[in-house]
Amino acid sequence: MPETHLASGKVRELYALDDERLLLVASDRISTFDVVLPTEIPDKGRVLTGLSAFWFARTREIVDNHMLAIRADGRSTECRRLEMLPLECVVRGYLTGSGWKDYLASGEVCGHELPAGLQESARLPEPLFTPSTKAQTGHDENITRARAVGLVGEELASRVEQVSIALYRFAAEWAAARGILIADTKFEFGLDADGKLCLGDEALTPDSSRFWPADEYEPGRGQPSYDKQFARDYCETVGWDKTEPGPELPADVVDGTRARYIEAFDRLTELPFDRYLDDPEGVLR
Ligand code: PZK
């Protein structure tokens, strides 16, 4: 079966299987400060593939999705080809990152007015839909609801907003009960051959979201990353200037990072990661 390579992401590859199907392959590469490091985290791609599949299987009542099967390697997802919307559907439950910066500058985040006096990392009164566009170079650009309507039309813009917030509420509540705060997350949607809205890409993984350890949560400061904090701390200690190439990670940082990914998988899926390796599709049941 010839698999045509279609695209490379920072840490993923996309192949064509046939006219209707794609293969998404998650590597073990890790990026920090927007740079892919030269050292891999063993099984990271399997953890993210399994987690995404877990969420796809459990959110079908909220919205259909592109997943068809997980391959036995645990890192490859067969999916339906969609016509992807030119919109990154970001939902924020906490005030951090560019949302915090925008709030400090204007008191608003993507046109949502917020109460005065919120602290960094504060939980927001309601989750906010803050769409962005896929910038050709560099970072995604936050856009207003009006621009989202201009890109996909009123009906689709309203639908992806409602669905994105419903997905976030479901996952954030599930995760918080298991010790993980999902500060924010990014969804990508597309239309299938029948014109039906489908969730695509990866969803609700630590690469498409900010995961924070709930037991260390303290508003008024930035929060440690559930998965990447060891790697970030190491990168800070070696005095790296955050340009290519990044530093090699020592074995203890690799091991600690790998353990955090697996811990997130175990907590969220309630399935030991070793069982996932034996039978990847078991995570769907
Ligand atoms: C699609 N990407 C991003 C992901 C990369 C690039 N179901 C789909 N149908 C059509 N297109 C896509 C998808 C999905 N998912 C996703 N680009 C196109 C991407 C991974 C690696 F290089």
Side-chain angles (χ1 to χ4, degrees), residues 3 15 28 50 53 58 81 96 113 129 147 171 247 257 268 271:
E3 291 166 10
Y15 300 86
D28 291 337
R58 278 155 186 79
R81 250 186 222 255
T96 187
E113 210 179 301
F129 180 65
R147 264 196 74 203
T257 303
L268 293 173
L271 184 78

Side-chain angles (χ1 to χ4, degrees), residues 10 120 136-137 174 192 210 285:
K10 270 193 297 189
E120 182 176 11
Q136 299 301 14
T137 56
W174 177 277
D192 70 9
R210 281 190 181 88
R285 292 186 284 270

Side-chain angles (χ1 to χ4, degrees), residues 162-236:
Q162 173 256 314
V163 166
S164 296
I165 287 176
L167 288 167
Y168 174 81
R169 284 189 194 281
F170 172 81
E173 185 187 338
W174 177 277
R178 291 157 183 84
I180 295 174
L181 302 181
I182 303 179
D184 51 34
T185 195
K186 181 195 79 182
F187 301 110
E188 296 200 28
F189 295 94
L191 303 177
D192 70 9
D194 301 327
K196 191 151 59 97
L197 185 72
C198 289
L199 180 59
D201 205 75
E202 62 176 287
L204 298 159
T205 68
D207 275 8
S208 65
S209 320
R210 281 190 181 88
F211 283 12
W212 292 341
D215 61 356
E216 293 173 55
Y217 176 64
E218 190 185 295
R221 57 159 171 85
Q223 306 301 301
S225 163
Y226 194 93
D227 47 302
K228 288 181 176 166
Q229 202 56 46
F230 292 123
R232 287 192 189 150
D233 288 349
Y234 177 76
C235 287
E236 298 285 9

Side-chain angles (χ1 to χ4, degrees), residues 43-55 58 70 74 174-175 178 180 204-206 211 226-227 257-284:
D43 293 320
K44 170 178 177 278
R46 292 189 176 91
V47 166
L48 268 60
T49 298
L51 257 184
S52 200
F54 168 82
W55 293 118
R58 278 155 186 79
I70 305 301
W174 177 277
R178 291 157 183 84
I180 295 174
L204 298 159
T205 68
F211 283 12
Y226 194 93
D227 47 302
T257 303
R258 180 175 182 274
R260 292 293 277 180
Y261 280 109
I262 290 170
E263 184 177 280
F265 180 96
D266 289 351
R267 285 187 179 202
L268 293 173
T269 67
E270 301 182 320
L271 184 78
F273 182 63
D274 285 347
R275 294 264 297 278
Y276 175 74
L277 295 179
D278 290 344
D279 173 24
E281 290 207 321
V283 80
L284 308 179

Side-chain angles (χ1 to χ4, degrees), residues 5-15 20 22-25 66 79-84 134 188 190 199-202:
H5 185 248
L6 288 184
S8 292
K10 270 193 297 189
V11 302
R12 297 179 304 158
E13 304 295 333
L14 187 65
Y15 300 86
E20 285 93 43
L22 300 175
L23 192 68
L24 261 172
V25 183
H66 71 162
C79 51
R80 287 188 290 153
R81 250 186 222 255
L82 305 174
E83 191 181 324
M84 301 305 288
K134 296 168 213 192
E188 296 200 28
L199 180 59
D201 205 75
E202 62 176 287

